[in-house]
Amino acid sequence: EVQVLESGGDLVQPGGSLRLSCAASGFSFRTYAMAWVRQAPGQGLEWVSTISGTGETTFYADSVRGRFTVSRDNSKNTVYLEMSSLRAEDTAVYFCAKGRDYGGYYFDSWGQGTLVTVSS
Amino acid sequence: DIRLTQSPPSLSASVGDSVTLTCRASQGVSGWLAWYQQKPGTAPKLLIYAASYLQGGVPSRFSGSGSETDFSLTITGLQPEDFATYYCQQANSFPYTFGQGTKVEMK
């Protein structure tokens, strides 16, 4: 059974930093792209970042490029999202999602989400 | 960026009804479109990918169609568990984008 589990969400002050983790199991981890998608309170879904199976290729939303960094450790079946220079508008539930295929175009397994709150 | 506009924003329907949700892209995305279902407090669930392919384990009452800029999701015979918010997502080009969602409510 595929499982995806996020952790690391917390209350952080504006300008602060935070690292989210996403532990995955039940599939050949290195074969699939992984993504982060966020949802602000009461709002819709926003794609944040995608990382290829090898970790060599990454993509970011304009809203986070230069502030967020996605990475993965295939030996630990874990994806990370390093977030810095956090803003109030980054407040959201952050979901980690498995790509349906190597290209990661669609997301077929999601974690339960981890809440990031940016506030003083 | 490709903008996805979903309509209607919300709709009311009864169990057994058939409903069609639409998603319009600001530019052509070929068939690179997915539909997700989300219930309050839970993660989204992939229903349809590549515009018309049913994800494994999803009931056949869900179907998708369309290409380029106009897409639709049809639920034939609404069931109680189908009342939720539905999002479309384009995967034609980065940045991937989602529509704003259509909330299907019980009449």
Side-chain angles (χ1 to χ4, degrees), chain A residues 3-21:
Chain A
Q3 292 192 336
V4 176
L5 182 63
E6 307 93 338
S7 61
D10 205 348
L11 170 64
V12 60
Q13 292 189 340
S17 300
L18 199 61
R19 187 178 85 159
L20 305 183
S21 299

Side-chain angles (χ1 to χ4, degrees), chain B residues 60-77:
Chain B
S60 59
R61 63 180 178 271
F62 291 92
S63 62
S65 65
S67 66
E68 297 299 344
T69 60
D70 291 291
F71 298 86
S72 62
L73 172 71
T74 297
I75 311 172
T76 302

Side-chain angles (χ1 to χ4, degrees), chain B residues 31-101:
Chain B
W32 294 98
L33 192 109
W35 291 94
Y36 298 85
Q37 176 194 68
Q38 188 181 32
K39 298 179 182 179
T42 70
K45 174 186 176 182
L46 177 64
L47 301 175
I48 301 285
Y49 65 95
S52 61
Y53 291 82
L54 195 67
Q55 172 68 1
V58 174
S60 59
R61 63 180 178 271
F62 291 92
S63 62
S65 65
S67 66
E68 297 299 344
T69 60
D70 291 291
F71 298 86
S72 62
L73 172 71
T74 297
I75 311 172
T76 302
L78 268 173
Q79 296 300 300
E81 60 268 30
D82 300 337
F83 293 98
T85 300
Y86 294 84
Y87 295 93
C88 56
Q89 174 237 328
Q90 66 83 18
N92 180 75
S93 61
F94 287 105
Y96 291 166
T97 48
F98 289 87
Q100 82 282 12

Side-chain angles (χ1 to χ4, degrees), chain A residues 37 39 43-47 50 59-62 95 100 103-108 110-113, chain B residues 1 31-34 36 38 42-46 49-51 55 87 89 91 94-96 98 100:
Chain A
V37 176
Q39 187 167 37
Q43 302 301 308
L45 302 170
E46 180 188 14
W47 170 82
T50 290
F59 301 92
Y60 297 95
D62 290 345
F95 294 103
R100 189 185 178 279
Y105 307 108
Y106 313 110
F107 315 124
D108 66 352
W110 298 62
Q112 84 292 345
Chain B
D1 298 1
W32 294 98
L33 192 109
Y36 298 85
Q38 188 181 32
T42 70
K45 174 186 176 182
L46 177 64
Y49 65 95
Q55 172 68 1
Y87 295 93
Q89 174 237 328
F94 287 105
Y96 291 166
F98 289 87
Q100 82 282 12

Side-chain angles (χ1 to χ4, degrees), chain A residues 49-62:
Chain A
S49 180
T50 290
I51 184 167
S52 65
T54 62
E56 293 177 349
T57 306
T58 57
F59 301 92
Y60 297 95
D62 290 345

